[in-house]
């Protein structure tokens, strides 16, 4: 038995070996075949592309010719029209006239004879004149008076910015991480690239190969004829500058694409969602609708789901007196409360009168009528967006700005702000000025800007400090406002230790926003100042209190470190 | 404006905050502040770009979202109480366009349902909106 099996085994093995041998040969033969086939294909594709390019260039040339001819003809016609009676160009004619006027018409009078015309210039700075004289048969003098250009003061450095009427979260591609930043060095009078030893510029990602049409064709044809084996992929690597895995992926994508194309062409892309349940249909809307802003947008981030309930004894809500001051305590994750509805919660339908069921610290006022003095929101200092007194719903239009709507909580929401003007600061650089006189505690406006993380703010702050101009404003544990690129005119308000305004972080419909208020009665056209409240270790040099000086208004163009409201 | 204020404002040169060009006196005096306006074109563009990023939303859904976002921004729909008015006005404003595209129309209807879920829209107003839309539909399918 054993011997039999051995022989059968060995014969099996032999035949296997033979097969393998043949297989290998066949394999190498096919590799060569594939290779040559692909090379041929590549040539075909390239020549095809060449022909296409030639066609395109020719077509473009014709179009271009049409355009330029039209322009050329127009110009030529205009020139002909403008030629004077002498048939020469009006411009050169006038130029010649001007010159001859200056130099007198001796030239003509003298005829073709010798022309010894001497031209002299005599500057008389005190009289502000320049005398041009020429000698000839009749000396002529022309007195040209200097015109004094008025001296204009240079304006302070100005960087263009975008107006935001409300804080805007920074988009991912706006971050300074991984970007080379250039700043202007006043001392060396040059622009420099900012670099830092502990700079973490991330390594540029391995470039993903973008497949051209020609390469797609190549891959498609190859895989159609020879399948998607490792060999084919390896050979393709030689033709297409991509990794084997990329090629494999790509071939799958191409495969799917072709499948789809061969599918029913008259399938309607956007089917009427009548056959789905309402939940599925509303799914898109659900995920993107922001309940507070009433628009479809990217929600603030899903980490907020965790913080929907008062998180315990130490929660913000409990130990904070009903004020909206944001205390800076370390080590606590004081996330904002949001009324953001997550996908997990059932949609809540309750009539307006009940007040809605909020899950977090914010309790809306249950005011039935206008929010008056006894509205709990007023006590808490929060702004409710429940628009009081709108029971009947029969509006002509939402109340326009400044219509005198009196709900004290609504100023920030409705943007009922004062007119601010930009001017040269009496102290340094630009300043913000108020147009109309205001009383103490009047709301002047909101300091808007980009919402950035603290990490991002630290990074941006480094350059801002170098330039001695920072628009960073600490908002809360999560965000910092940066008004450098986007914001409003209040960003120009300067710092002072005895200011006429103050900044206050307000909680408006779940958002932290910075309001600027008058600290005293302010006259029209006065410059606005508020205390930036730098921490002792953050105070830039210009803001440090001068020894023995009573007046603490210090020179500042813009801020360093971050401003904070108390 | 008080004459005292006028006098004070005349003493100083003010500048346009977007162009840093000197501002003429009558612009200083006027109540309108042309610089405190969001650039609509940019806002529209950014809105479209943001919506385009979503992969699981259909083209028509994105379109209705963009139309609504744009509407809310321009009409200053800021508070819950504005929403019924807003829906009505939106239906009137875009009615023609909505009835011409079934998917878009349904998108709007579903969005109204969503608002109703949130108690932002009452049944009566939703009915009114549908009547408005019906009107457009009848109007357009009139004698051709």
């Amino acid at each position: 038995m054993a011997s039999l099996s051995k022989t059968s085994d060995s014969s099996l093995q032999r035949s296997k070996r033979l097969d393998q041998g043949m297989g290998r040969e066949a394999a190498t033969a096919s590799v060569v075949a594939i290779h040559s086939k692909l090379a041929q294909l590549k040539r075909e594709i390239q020549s095809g592309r060449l022909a296409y390019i030639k066609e395109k260039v020719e077509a473009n040339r014709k179009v271009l010719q049409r355009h330029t001819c039209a322009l050329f003809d127009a110009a030529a016609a205009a020139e002909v029209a403008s030629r004077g009676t002498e048939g020469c160009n009006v411009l050169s004619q006038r130029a010649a006239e001007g010159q001859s006027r200056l130099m007198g018409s001796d030239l003509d009078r003298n005829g073709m004879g010798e022309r010894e015309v001497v031209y002299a210039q005599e500057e008389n700075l005190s009289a502000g004149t320049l005398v041009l004289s020429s000698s000839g048969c009749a000396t002529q003098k022309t007195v040209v008076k200097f015109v004094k250009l008025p001296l204009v003061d240079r304006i302070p450095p100005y960087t263009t910015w975008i107006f935001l009427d409300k804080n805007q979260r920074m988009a991912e591609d706006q971050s300074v991480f991984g970007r080379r930043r250039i700043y202007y060095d006043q001392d060396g009078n040059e622009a420099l690239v900012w670099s830092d030893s502990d700079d973490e510029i991330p390594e540029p990602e391995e470039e993903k190969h973008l497949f051209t049409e020609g390469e797609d064709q190549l891959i498609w044809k190859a895989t159609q004829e020879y399948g998607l084996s490792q060999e084919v992929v390896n050979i393709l690597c030689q033709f297409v500058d991509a990794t084997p895995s990329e090629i494999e992926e790509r071939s799958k994508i191409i495969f799917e694409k072709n499948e789809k194309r061969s599918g029913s062409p008259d399938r309607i892309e956007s089917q009427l969602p009548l056959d789905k349940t309402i939940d599925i249909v509303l799914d898109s809307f659900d995920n993107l609708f922001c309940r507070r802003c009433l628009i479809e947008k990217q929600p603030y981030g899903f980490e907020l789901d965790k913080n929907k309930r008062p998180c315990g004894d130490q929660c913000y809500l409990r130990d904070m007196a009903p004020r909206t001051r944001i205390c800076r305590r370390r080590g606590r994750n004081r996330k904002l409360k949001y009324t953001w509805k997550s996908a997990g919660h059932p949609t809540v339908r309750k009539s307006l009168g009940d007040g809605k069921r909020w899950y977090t610290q914010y309790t809306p006022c249950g005011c039935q009528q206008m929010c008056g003095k006894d509205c709990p929101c007023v006590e808490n200092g929060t702004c409710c967006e429940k628009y009081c007194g709108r029971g009947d719903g029969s509006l002509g239009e939402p109340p326009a700005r400044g219509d005198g709507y009196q709900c004290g909580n609504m100023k920030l929401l409705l943007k009922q702000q004062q007119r601010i003007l930009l001017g040269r600061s009496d102290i340094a650089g630009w300043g913000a000025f108020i147009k109309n006189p205001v009383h103490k505690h009047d709301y002047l406006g909101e300091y808007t800007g980009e919402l950035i993380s603290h990490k991002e703010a630290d990074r941006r702050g480094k350059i801002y400090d170098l330039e001695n101009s920072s628009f960073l404003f600490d908002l809360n544990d999560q965000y910092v406002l940066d008004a450098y690129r986007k914001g409003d005119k209040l960003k120009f308000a300067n710092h002072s230790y005895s200011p006429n305004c103050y900044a206050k972080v307000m909680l408006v419909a779940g958002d932290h926003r910075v309001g600027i208020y008058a600290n005293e009665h302010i006259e029209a056209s006065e410059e606005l100042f508020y205390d930036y409240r730098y921490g002792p270790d953050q105070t830039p040099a210009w803001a440090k209190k001068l020894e023995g000086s009573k007046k603490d208004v210090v020179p500042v163009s813009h801020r360093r470190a971050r401003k904070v409201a108390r | 404006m008080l004459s005292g204020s006028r006098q004070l404002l005349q003493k100083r040169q003010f500048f346009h905050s977007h162009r840093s060009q000197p501002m003429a006196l009558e612009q200083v005096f006027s109540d309108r502040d042309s610089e405190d306006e969001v650039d609509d074109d940019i806002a529209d563009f950014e809105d479209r770009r943001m919506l385009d990023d979503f992969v699981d939303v259909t083209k028509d859904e994105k379109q209705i979202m963009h139309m609504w976002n744009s509407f809310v921004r321009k009409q200053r729909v800021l508070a819950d109480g504005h929403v019924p008015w807003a829906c009505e006005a939106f239906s009137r404003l875009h009615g023609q366009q909505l009835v011409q595209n079934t998917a878009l129309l349904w998108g709007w209807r579903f969005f109204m349902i969503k608002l109703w879920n949130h108690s932002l829209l009452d049944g009566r107003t939703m009915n009114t909106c549908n009547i408005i839309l019906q009107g457009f539909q009848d109007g357009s399918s009139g004698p051709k």
Side-chain angles (χ1 to χ4, degrees), chain A residues 202-447:
Chain A
E203 281 295 318
E205 264 183 45
E206 274 282 317
E207 287 253 340
K208 263 190 93 179
H209 181 82
L210 292 161
F211 287 89
T212 67
E213 240 196 76
E215 287 171 344
D216 276 352
Q217 266 191 16
L218 208 60
I219 296 175
W220 173 243
K221 293 216 169 94
T223 47
Q224 283 293 86
E225 282 202 45
Y226 300 102
L228 190 65
S229 68
Q230 196 57 41
E231 295 170 324
V232 178
V233 174
N234 286 336
I235 295 173
L236 276 170
C237 270
Q238 299 176 25
F239 287 89
V240 176
D241 183 22
T243 69
S245 48
E246 282 180 325
I247 295 183
E248 271 190 62
E249 247 187 79
R250 187 70 188 171
S251 59
K252 289 196 191 116
I253 295 174
I254 301 173
F255 188 70
E256 281 171 26
K257 251 198 258 179
N258 285 321
E259 281 280 303
K260 260 200 207 163
R261 230 180 289 146
S262 62
S264 66
D266 35 38
R267 191 165 39 128
I268 311 165
E269 270 287 316
S270 52
Q271 279 178 349
L272 283 183
L274 292 173
D275 48 348
K276 304 186 196 163
T277 68
I278 199 99
D279 280 333
I280 298 175
V281 164
L282 288 184
D283 179 56
S284 302
F285 289 122
D286 275 353
N287 286 334
L288 299 176
F289 183 65
C290 173
R291 169 67 181 82
R292 283 177 299 116
C293 312
L294 303 173
I295 61 172
E296 308 283 339
K297 68 196 270 194
Q298 197 90 59
Y300 265 67
F302 297 100
E303 80 270 12
L304 298 164
D305 282 6
K306 293 190 222 124
N307 297 300
K308 295 193 130 222
R309 283 173 197 69
C311 44
D313 284 320
Q314 315 222 294
C315 185
Y316 163 97
L317 181 63
R318 301 282 207 95
D319 53 17
M320 195 79 75
R323 289 170 303 159
T324 56
R325 305 288 181 76
I326 306 303
C327 298
R328 313 193 51 161
R329 278 186 228 169
R330 301 182 145 268
R332 196 109 31 122
N333 190 17
R334 192 173 344 276
K335 294 270 190 221
L336 300 174
K337 53 85 183 163
Y338 282 105
T339 56
W340 172 247
K341 172 179 96 71
S342 79
H345 288 280
T347 43
V348 176
R349 276 197 54 246
K350 277 194 176 183
S351 59
L352 271 170
D354 291 342
K356 302 174 190 59
R357 184 156 39 105
W358 306 118
Y359 292 94
T360 64
Q361 305 137 358
Y362 170 51
T363 327
C365 65
C367 304
Q368 298 293 346
Q369 300 301 321
M370 202 162 99
C371 296
K373 294 204 190 65
D374 49 353
C375 167
C377 290
V378 178
E379 287 166 19
N380 287 336
T382 58
C383 296
C384 73
E385 83 286 12
K386 188 167 79 102
Y387 221 7
C388 322
R390 295 282 156 216
D392 57 356
S394 54
L395 296 167
E397 58 166 13
R401 197 210 302 200
D403 65 342
Y405 185 76
Q406 293 305 321
C407 179
N409 297 346
M410 293 295 285
K411 292 248 178 220
L412 252 154
L413 199 63
L414 288 183
K415 304 171 179 125
Q416 287 171 346
Q417 65 219 28
Q418 288 291 330
R419 175 124 187 252
I420 310 287
L421 294 164
L422 173 68
R424 265 200 142 86
S425 170
D426 292 331
I427 309 303
W430 295 108
F433 298 79
I434 191 113
K435 180 188 166 197
N436 300 313
V438 288
H439 303 297
K440 188 168 177 174
H441 298 311
D442 272 358
Y443 169 66
L444 302 180
E446 183 185 350
Y447 185 103

Side-chain angles (χ1 to χ4, degrees), chain A residues 158 286 348 350 396 419 422, chain B residues 15 17 30 68 85 114 117 119:
Chain A
Y158 174 85
D286 275 353
V348 176
K350 277 194 176 183
R419 175 124 187 252
L422 173 68
Chain B
F15 296 79
S17 60
S30 99
W68 174 256
W85 169 83
K114 175 169 179 64
N117 271 347
S119 311

